[in-house]
Amino acid sequence: MSAAIANVVSISTARQRVIRHRGTRDYFTAEQLKKFMHAAKQYGPREHAAFLCAFAHGCRVSEIANLRVSDLNFEQKTIHVARLKGSMQSTQAFLKLDNGLFDEESAFRAWLQIRKAGAPDDFVFNSRKSGQIHRVTLFLLFKEICERAGINDKRLWHPHTMKHTTAMLMFQRNVNAIGIRQYLGHQSFQSTLEYTKPSDREASELAAAAFAGVL
């Protein structure tokens, strides 16, 4: 085999390997999200506020753990999201929907009323010992709440599911890529496209709906 052919084979194999591992992102349906948030609210005000924040702003679990009281502005009803991994920081409005499960300001207030003071650097979400909550604790809590909510698909038992859900619900409601990119703090559109990639079944449904509208 010549060197040129060997290089082509090597590149082809590498591309196949990338494609094979690049699946669609797992996310909650709207109904699953409501079930999860209902279970989280029943679990406790800390969990409700933490995971509502994760959904409302597409936050990573470490960004939730790092959230400080000074990031919350109740007068202006905003939250400063200090994103990690090179993502863009932003200041966004508290989420407030008619459904009481998605009233972010009320959720934060309910938690802060009973939160133990004295956490280092004034972290919003602290542990039973008043220290900063650990990301592993949030992973375990998320899994337990999924089980309580009757969400049996283990692929969804990961807090990053919330970020995927935020992106997909915006995508499904026809928010353009520019808006999704800004809201999730992505530096590149490629990241946004990865978060809003539909499954083959969903793509088929979208195609059928589009064709039905014109044919």
Side-chain angles (χ1 to χ4, degrees), residues 12 42 45 48 50 62 65-66 69 72 75 77 83 92 112 115-116 131 153 162 170 172-173 188 193-195 204 208:
S12 176
Q42 288 187 323
H48 180 221
S62 294
N66 290 341
V69 173
L72 307 178
E75 182 177 344
K77 302 184 185 302
R83 300 192 187 276
Q92 300 177 350
L112 292 176
R115 165 186 169 275
K116 292 182 180 179
D153 186 346
M162 284 304 199
M170 293 178 73
Q172 291 169 353
R173 299 301 295 175
S188 70
L193 294 175
E194 285 299 316
Y195 274 91
S204 296

Side-chain angles (χ1 to χ4, degrees), residues 50-62:
F51 294 127
L52 174 54
C53 181
F55 164 70
H57 308 286
C59 293
R60 299 179 177 90
V61 67
S62 294

